[in-house]
Amino acid sequence: MDLIASAARSMRDAAAAAAPPWLVAAVQRDVAPNADAILWLPAMMAVFFRYGEPPKKPNWFVFGLSLFFFALVAGALAYLFSVMMVHEMYTDRYRHAILSAAPPAPPPPHSRTPVEAAARAAMAAAEASKASAAAAATATPSPASPPEFVAMVPLDLMFGFTRDNATDFYAALGPGGASTYLTYLAVDTIGIVCYAAVHRELLAWLYPAESDPAAFLTARAALLLAGLDIFENAGHAYMATTAASIPRLDPPSISNDDEEDEIDEESETARWRAAYSVVPDSLGTGWYGRVSAANSAKFAVLFAVLGLELSGLVRKLVAYLQQEASEVGVGAAAAQEQKRASDRRKARLATKKRE
């Protein structure tokens, strides 16, 4: 991956050196900020052109195979979500340890001179000794346990996420959790292809191309849903890559005045949010806005697709009941006709006997 990225950067630098300055400036000003939309729109048009025509009949083999792989993907996503929860719990306990430290943990020794580091270590040892003696004398209760842990919902499952949601999510994950989220997004993209195939074949059965004019739209609804989801995942993957490159925060440094060393939850939360606020900003205003819009549009299209499937199933059920009722009616009418014919035969036989 690094080799590919290095080759891409080399090609970009070579093209920039060969192109005239006005063209480079125009690309940097107009093309680069909108590169995501410039790549996505032609790709979606090509997919619509190739797969947008409604199939004449559903392919049940594709439906079953896609449903099987989607079930496997769902299991993998559940596992990766549990791993992300472990990272969130670790980060939560780490931050709680910083808040409950007395005195706060010193910064790494490499940031001080050897003499200062030794003096600080001696002061910390003396303070720890006094604190332990005071605790033994007064029977001070142990520090409060961490608050109850609540896992955060992944951004791709959150409707209309904001910059604050993205900052809090990646601050809770930490760099290790962000790397796991990258794997989660890669697996989720495979699941997108699977559920798009499931929806497409199901809609092809509910809205046949030969008899239903709505098939023109339903065949493209599943493709649009998958395209929006993949576009959103690309933005989340870029943010997750940025978050994974942020080193885990060390405890804040302490000063000589112990009264100024108190660490409250508000200041510590602000410190973590400031460190991870660069994650949503890494997309830029334009790309971030389009990713957020794609998230909202994805859920709108998903609800529309589910509504189409529900209404199609109701239509199929009503048509089936009507067919059964008509068959029952035809059978009853035939039975009555047979009974009348039998009665007429009996009447003729009785007339002949009397004659």
Side-chain angles (χ1 to χ4, degrees):
M1 186 65 70
D2 293 339
L3 183 61
I4 296 175
S6 177
R9 284 192 295 268
S10 300
M11 294 175 62
R12 181 195 61 190
D13 296 340
W22 64 268
L23 181 59
V24 175
V27 169
Q28 292 176 347
R29 182 185 66 252
D30 301 325
V31 178
N34 304 305
D36 56 304
I38 293 173
L39 294 174
W40 182 78
L41 287 174
M44 284 303 301
M45 292 176 63
V47 170
F48 279 158
F49 180 77
R50 176 64 180 84
Y51 301 102
E53 289 298 323
K56 295 182 179 180
K57 61 180 181 178
N59 189 330
W60 295 115
F61 174 76
V62 173
F63 177 85
L65 190 64
S66 301
L67 195 61
F68 172 74
F69 279 107
F70 181 74
L72 294 181
V73 167
L77 291 178
Y79 167 74
L80 290 170
F81 180 72
S82 66
V83 175
M84 288 162 56
M85 285 180 58
V86 172
H87 284 285
E88 289 182 33
M89 293 176 65
Y90 177 79
T91 302
D92 184 67
R93 298 302 187 268
Y94 179 76
R95 292 174 62 179
H96 183 78
I98 293 176
L99 291 171
S100 61
H110 61 75
S111 62
R112 311 183 181 128
T113 62
V115 176
E116 184 182 3
R120 292 274 182 168
M123 290 173 59
E127 289 293 334
S129 177
K130 283 197 285 185
S132 61
T138 59
T140 304
S142 59
S145 59
E148 183 180 355
F149 171 75
V150 178
M152 300 193 69
V153 178
L155 291 181
D156 61 303
L157 300 180
M158 189 183 300
F159 176 76
F161 65 89
T162 63
R163 290 180 178 271
D164 290 339
N165 296 139
T167 301
D168 293 339
F169 177 69
Y170 286 109
L173 283 181
S179 299
T180 305
Y181 189 48
L182 271 174
T183 307
Y184 175 97
L185 291 171
V187 176
D188 183 58
T189 303
I190 300 174
I192 291 171
V193 177
C194 294
Y195 80 63
V198 169
H199 285 303
R200 187 170 185 268
E201 300 302 329
L202 183 58
L203 289 171
W205 175 62
L206 296 174
Y207 299 90
E210 298 87 355
S211 59
D212 201 324
F216 179 80
L217 295 176
T218 57
R220 290 162 173 79
L223 300 178
L224 178 60
L225 176 62
L228 290 170
D229 211 347
I230 291 175
F231 180 81
E232 182 194 1
N233 276 11
H236 289 314
Y238 193 90
M239 288 192 288
T241 303
T242 303
S245 65
I246 298 176
R248 184 172 294 278
L249 297 184
D250 292 322
S253 59
I254 59 175
S255 63
N256 291 328
D257 188 359
D258 290 341
E259 295 180 358
E260 298 179 359
D261 283 342
E262 295 183 0
I263 309 172
D264 58 5
E265 185 172 358
E266 183 177 352
S267 63
E268 185 63 13
T269 302
R271 189 170 75 97
W272 282 71
R273 286 181 55 82
Y276 283 91
S277 62
V278 300
V279 174
D281 295 338
S282 64
L283 288 182
T285 305
W287 191 6
Y288 179 86
R290 286 185 288 272
V291 169
S292 181
N295 170 269
S296 302
K298 173 190 73 174
F299 283 100
V301 175
L302 174 62
F303 292 141
V305 168
L306 294 178
L308 286 171
E309 291 173 349
L310 180 60
S311 63
L313 288 172
V314 171
R315 289 198 323 172
K316 286 280 187 183
L317 179 60
V318 171
Y320 173 76
L321 293 177
Q322 288 177 345
Q323 182 180 1
E324 288 292 320
S326 64
E327 291 178 356
V328 171
V330 170
Q336 291 178 358
E337 184 62 29
Q338 289 177 358
K339 185 176 183 301
R340 285 195 293 268
S342 177
D343 291 340
R344 286 194 295 268
R345 285 195 301 270
K346 290 179 180 178
R348 286 195 299 269
L349 290 174
T351 302
K352 289 180 179 179
K353 286 181 180 180
R354 284 196 299 269
E355 292 176 354

